[in-house]
Amino acid sequence: MKSHSQIQEQILAKAEEDERFRAQLLENPKVAIKDATGLSVPDGINIRVLEDNATDFHLVLPPAGRNLSDQEISGVAGGIGDIDTW
């Protein structure tokens, strides 16, 4: 099974080469991801796709009050995990 980062790379590459897919990804990311990868995003997961430009800066904050354990940090740093952890 592909890792989360591999799936993300696949989606970004497709959005770069396919303008219709890019528009669909912005409009309805769950449908676009399903069409591109065959993977369904669970109902409890929300996806927001933002398109960078010269005037906007996007900063993603972790959930408030959530400190990662050393083991969790090691897992993230090592790239462990896959799409099933959503």
Side-chain angles (χ1 to χ4, degrees):
M1 176 169 275
K2 290 183 179 181
S3 70
H4 181 265
S5 61
Q6 289 171 319
I7 293 168
Q8 183 175 341
E9 287 176 22
Q10 177 184 350
I11 291 167
L12 293 175
K14 184 168 176 68
E16 185 67 25
E17 64 190 36
D18 183 341
E19 191 60 39
R20 285 188 297 181
F21 174 73
R22 185 182 193 92
Q24 183 185 36
L25 192 59
L26 288 163
E27 180 70 28
N28 194 337
K30 287 186 177 186
V31 170
I33 290 169
K34 171 88 171 162
D35 290 349
T37 67
L39 298 171
S40 295
V41 178
D43 287 336
I45 301 296
N46 297 315
I47 298 179
R48 292 188 187 120
V49 177
L50 305 173
E51 189 169 30
D52 276 335
N53 61 50
T55 60
D56 293 328
F57 176 78
H58 303 106
L59 178 64
V60 179
L61 298 175
R66 169 89 167 104
N67 292 322
L68 297 177
S69 69
D70 288 341
Q71 183 177 7
E72 291 172 315
I73 291 170
S74 294
V76 172
I80 298 171
D82 57 40
I83 195 80
D84 291 336
T85 60
W86 284 1

